[in-house]
Amino acid sequence: MPGMVVFGRRWGIASDDLVFPGSFELFVRVLWWIGTMILFTYHKGNFDCNGGGVLHTFLVGLMVVLALIILSLCATVYVSAQGTITNPGPRRSIPALIYLRAILYIPELVWACLGAMWVSEDSKGCDPATVGAVITAVIASWIILLFTGLGVVFVFDPLGNPRPQHSAMEPLGGRDQQSTEGTQFLSTARSLAVKVWESRLRLLCCCLPQDESHRAAFSSIAQLVGGFFSDTDLVPSDIAAGLALLHQEQDKMEQSRDPDIMVDHSPSSPIGEDLETELEKAAHCMQFAAAAYGWPMYIYSNPLTGPCKLSGDCCRSREAEYDIVGGDHLGCHFSSILQSTGLQYRDFIYVSFHNQIYEIPFYVALDHKREAVLVAVRGTLSLKDVLTDLSAECEKLPIEGVLGSCYAHKGMCQAAGYIYKKLVNDGILNQAFSIAPEYKLVITGHSLGAGTASLLAILLRNSFPTLQCYSFSPPGGLLSKALADYSKDFVVSVVLGKDLVPRLSLPNMEDLKRKILKVVSNCNKPKYRILLQGCWYEVFGGDPDDFPTEMDNRREEELSQPLLGEESLMIRHSSSYQSLASDESPAHTATHLPLFLPGRILYITEDGPSRRSCFSQVRYRADWSNEMSFRSVLISPRMLADHMPDAMLRALTSLTRDRPFSLCPSSSNNTNHNTV
């Protein structure tokens, strides 16, 4: 739903977003009015203290002002709850109610000042409880005024135009014809959006150096973020409602799916006992990938014993011993790595905690158990890492011997290049293999570290043909198809459950936006009911709601025509959006170059019902999957929890330590799908 237009400005909230904040304020105001009435009744006919007349006037006026505010809030909440997201007609009176509510702030401000004056000058000799009550009322008034001002700042849209520029959208019957004025408007709007987002990023990252590399990153990220929803007229609550609807829709589809139908493994994936071998190797490498996060992850995983174990090592002067460690001034990071991996100081070749944009921490160690020179790359742990993550444009990565287009995620490509130069140009790998020439090279990492490790493995592959890479929860938008296929020989990616990050790519996000538009425009329930039902479903579970849609009463022949509500959510036509088309429709064309997960993919899921008690033991299953199974985002409360490194380590540990293994290739449908 387009944002409200009040005071000549389109805001970042819609007319149906006032139900919950209005109800909360209404609850506070009613309690406040009741308390004021009790106080007035208690003093009725007994205002004989100093300033009693002022107190009487204050209480009477406060009750009147509160009564008017309560009436306006009741009307606002009621009207805001009418209609649907794409049918704002029943809410057309909301702007007038907003103006009325704004006018009522004036007498409230005056009465707050009057109460403050009475407390400071005329309250002597009055009942202390009365004075306290008036002070509470005055403070409450100022707090509400303050929060109202902050709310205005938050919902202020610097790009808000009083009229949505639908003239820039192509006509429904001839979208190939676009006017020059519309093109100029869109170009100007996109440029303004990029500038606004760039200013926001600079403000958010004001603590970072404002050098050329950071400015370039801010500009790249601003172009990505500023243009993503530029073709829609959605407010944040519409997106939240769409995610709630989409989660329940996905769960309904999952529940109706035949449990015997399973996804075939990728053709290059091994079968049989190799699955168990890869799981054991992955579980071993995940310990090093998790250790790369340093003391924050160690304390998070060991909240009771971790601080005690690290306290003896941190802040000790061990400069001579720790000369290979860079960027760890207190020594806590390296101490936690020693605790997590069980290695000795002499097993480490190089440890760097230097962190800048496109430059992420990593370490090189000798893993005697697996006879490997191990390179572990840290995942996202700082604001600089987030900027590296968000630099999601494509960058060419030509690799000798690879046919087809070679491109990859820009931020991680830059980070892999930084580590490559360190390892090769600074002679770190030469030093490691001079100590253990018979060892093989293994590269690992989690999240940002997983994507960087995969790209680093591709860069080093020609120099080290036997290298292996274990990539845990890598980002979905990482490699072009040619590079993804090339990496299958030496990269194993491990994905847990409904982890968001392996499904996170620009084409997938465009697909998610398209689905949100479709499900939001087709639902005929008011937004507050969608959000309430969605919150209940996320917390307590239950059956997905069968949300009626605007299509229920439409004739069959009308279904090929776009819904008016759906079109109203589009400011301009986008090739990423297709009205009422199936997800597999060939008419859906991608606006971004497709990027895929690296290597072969081990997919770990919970074995059992999706909803379980907090105290029940979790059992996992592991399957070989392929990159095409991660083409869409799955909405779930677990989409972030499944990405955490401790969750991945716990799942792999459970799979490798819980005996006996049940290697059971699926016999149904004659598939070669393997499960542990």
Side-chain angles (χ1 to χ4, degrees):
M1 172 60 204
M4 288 190 305
V5 178
V6 289
F7 300 108
R9 166 70 61 175
R10 184 171 294 276
W11 297 82
I13 59 173
S15 57
D16 54 357
D17 285 333
L18 303 177
V19 176
F20 296 118
S23 299
F24 177 75
E25 185 180 358
L26 180 61
F27 175 74
V28 173
R29 297 287 187 175
V30 168
L31 291 181
W32 191 349
W33 188 88
I34 293 174
T36 305
M37 175 61 73
I38 293 174
L39 187 64
F40 179 80
T41 304
Y42 175 76
H43 283 280
K44 188 175 182 180
N46 190 26
F47 291 94
D48 53 357
C49 63
N50 292 337
V54 178
L55 176 61
H56 181 273
T57 303
F58 173 78
L59 293 178
V60 172
L62 182 60
M63 285 190 295
V64 173
V65 171
L66 287 176
L68 293 175
I69 291 175
I70 288 171
L71 291 175
S72 69
L73 288 174
C74 288
T76 301
V77 171
Y78 175 78
V79 175
S80 182
Q82 305 304 307
T84 63
I85 294 177
T86 54
N87 179 25
R91 302 189 298 272
R92 64 175 62 92
S93 59
I94 281 291
L97 293 172
I98 296 295
Y99 293 135
L100 174 62
R101 181 67 186 88
I103 292 173
L104 291 176
Y105 279 114
I106 298 175
E108 184 177 14
L109 177 62
V110 172
W111 249 249
C113 295
L114 181 64
M117 292 174 55
W118 180 83
V119 169
S120 60
E121 298 178 2
D122 301 327
S123 61
K124 297 179 181 179
C126 292
D127 182 14
T130 302
V131 177
V134 175
I135 292 175
T136 302
V138 171
I139 293 176
S141 296
W142 287 110
I143 289 176
I144 288 179
L145 290 170
L146 174 63
F147 274 94
T148 301
L150 292 175
V152 169
V153 171
F154 276 113
V155 301
F156 174 74
D157 183 3
L159 302 179
N161 191 292
R163 286 180 296 275
Q165 301 292 332
H166 289 286
S167 61
M169 184 198 288
E170 299 88 338
L172 296 179
R175 285 182 171 166
D176 293 334
Q177 302 175 355
Q178 187 175 29
S179 66
T180 303
E181 292 183 2
T183 303
Q184 292 176 348
F185 164 75
L186 291 175
S187 177
T188 303
R190 281 194 292 268
S191 300
L192 183 58
V194 169
K195 290 180 180 179
V196 168
W197 276 103
E198 194 169 348
S199 300
R200 290 172 175 173
L201 287 170
R202 287 181 177 177
L203 181 61
L204 179 65
C205 307
C206 59
C207 57
L208 299 182
Q210 301 296 313
D211 54 21
E212 187 62 31
S213 64
H214 284 81
R215 285 194 293 270
F218 292 157
S219 177
S220 174
I221 297 169
Q223 290 179 9
L224 174 67
V225 177
F228 185 68
F229 275 105
S230 63
D231 57 350
T232 67
D233 205 357
L234 295 174
V235 298
S237 60
D238 295 336
I239 300 174
L243 291 174
L245 290 170
L246 193 57
H247 179 205
Q248 296 179 67
E249 184 67 26
Q250 289 176 348
D251 282 359
K252 282 193 293 185
M253 294 176 62
E254 186 175 349
Q255 291 174 8
S256 62
R257 185 179 298 133
D258 188 345
D260 290 335
I261 297 178
M262 308 179 78
V263 180
D264 291 346
H265 65 78
S266 58
S268 61
S269 296
I271 59 175
E273 293 188 358
D274 189 49
L275 179 60
E276 179 181 346
T277 302
E278 294 292 356
L279 278 172
E280 291 177 345
K281 292 179 180 178
H284 180 73
C285 288
M286 185 58 208
Q287 296 178 8
F288 295 91
Y293 283 96
W295 68 263
M297 180 54 60
Y298 184 75
I299 297 296
Y300 176 79
S301 302
N302 305 276
L304 299 179
T305 60
C308 297
K309 290 182 178 180
L310 293 183
S311 60
D313 294 330
C314 295
C315 304
R316 267 199 308 192
S317 178
R318 306 170 72 173
E319 296 179 1
E321 182 182 0
Y322 284 59
D323 56 348
I324 65 166
V325 181
D328 187 17
H329 303 295
L330 299 179
C332 294
H333 284 306
F334 188 49
S335 297
S336 68
I337 291 178
L338 292 174
Q339 294 282 353
S340 300
T341 61
L343 299 180
Q344 302 297 317
Y345 166 76
R346 62 179 178 271
D347 297 325
F348 288 86
I349 306 299
Y350 183 82
V351 182
S352 171
F353 290 99
H354 168 76
N355 192 203
Q356 290 293 334
I357 185 171
Y358 306 143
E359 300 175 3
I360 58 181
F362 69 99
Y363 67 86
V364 181
L366 298 178
D367 179 13
H368 301 295
K369 182 178 179 180
R370 295 283 180 177
E371 296 186 344
V373 173
L374 191 138
V375 180
V377 187
R378 195 190 76 181
T380 303
L381 195 63
S382 69
L383 184 58
K384 300 165 187 175
D385 296 334
V386 173
L387 295 177
T388 302
D389 283 318
L390 292 177
S391 297
E393 295 179 346
C394 291
E395 182 170 292
K396 288 187 177 181
L397 186 67
I399 300 296
E400 184 180 353
V402 180
L403 300 177
S405 301
C406 296
Y407 48 88
H409 184 288
K410 176 183 176 180
M412 297 177 195
C413 208
Q414 297 278 341
Y418 159 76
I419 298 177
Y420 177 86
K421 293 176 182 177
K422 286 284 186 180
L423 294 177
V424 177
N425 297 351
D426 294 357
I428 296 174
L429 288 182
N430 287 338
Q431 179 185 352
F433 283 105
S434 66
I435 298 174
E438 72 282 5
Y439 282 15
K440 61 187 176 184
L441 179 60
V442 176
I443 307 173
T444 189
H446 174 269
S447 188
L448 167 63
T452 304
S454 300
L455 288 165
L456 180 61
I458 292 174
L459 293 175
L460 291 169
R461 168 70 168 175
N462 290 331
S463 301
F464 299 89
T466 61
L467 73 77
Q468 290 181 302
C469 175
Y470 288 89
S471 173
F472 302 97
S473 305
L478 185 64
L479 301 175
S480 64
K481 181 62 175 171
L483 285 177
D485 290 339
Y486 171 70
S487 66
K488 289 181 186 292
D489 293 332
F490 54 93
V491 177
V492 173
S493 292
V494 186
V495 178
L496 175 63
K498 297 187 177 181
D499 187 352
L500 170 66
V501 174
R503 298 173 171 86
L504 205 57
S505 65
L506 293 178
N508 286 2
M509 293 304 295
E510 289 285 357
D511 176 69
L512 178 65
K513 177 179 67 174
R514 186 169 55 94
K515 290 177 179 177
I516 288 175
L517 284 168
K518 191 176 298 184
V519 73
V520 162
S521 62
N522 289 344
C523 184
N524 66 8
K525 282 191 176 182
K527 188 192 299 181
Y528 80 94
R529 291 184 61 187
I530 298 174
L531 294 175
L532 282 177
Q533 167 70 18
C535 290
W536 180 272
Y537 184 76
E538 299 296 343
V539 176
F540 300 105
D543 295 328
D545 192 5
D546 291 324
F547 285 95
T549 69
E550 300 287 356
M551 294 188 294
D552 286 347
N553 298 322
R554 302 179 76 200
R555 295 192 307 273
E556 186 70 24
E557 60 270 17
E558 293 177 334
L559 293 181
S560 60
Q561 300 298 323
L563 292 173
L564 179 60
E566 201 169 1
E567 291 294 342
S568 71
L569 296 177
M570 302 299 300
I571 294 179
R572 61 180 174 86
H573 175 64
S574 170
S575 58
S576 66
Y577 171 79
Q578 180 187 357
S579 178
L580 296 178
S582 65
D583 294 340
E584 293 78 23
S585 171
H588 170 54
T589 58
T591 57
H592 301 281
L593 294 173
L595 295 174
F596 302 92
L597 288 169
R600 296 174 291 153
I601 302 171
L602 266 174
Y603 186 35
I604 301 174
T605 56
E606 292 186 9
D607 195 8
S610 58
R611 299 278 182 175
R612 55 179 177 81
S613 66
C614 298
F615 304 100
S616 62
Q617 184 178 3
V618 185
R619 292 189 61 84
Y620 297 93
R621 56 181 292 163
D623 310 301
W624 286 113
S625 187
N626 59 65
E627 65 273 9
M628 303 309 291
S629 300
F630 300 89
R631 291 182 301 170
S632 60
V633 176
L634 299 182
I635 310 301
S636 170
R638 300 288 307 173
M639 61 196 301
L640 297 179
D642 284 343
H643 184 67
M644 294 298 292
D646 63 311
M648 175 67 75
L649 183 58
R650 184 168 56 250
L652 286 168
T653 302
S654 174
L655 282 168
T656 54
R657 290 184 181 176
D658 291 351
R659 294 295 193 264
F661 278 104
S662 57
L663 285 172
C664 49
S666 175
S667 59
S668 61
N669 301 329
N670 295 321
T671 65
N672 293 322
H673 188 75
N674 292 277
T675 304
V676 168

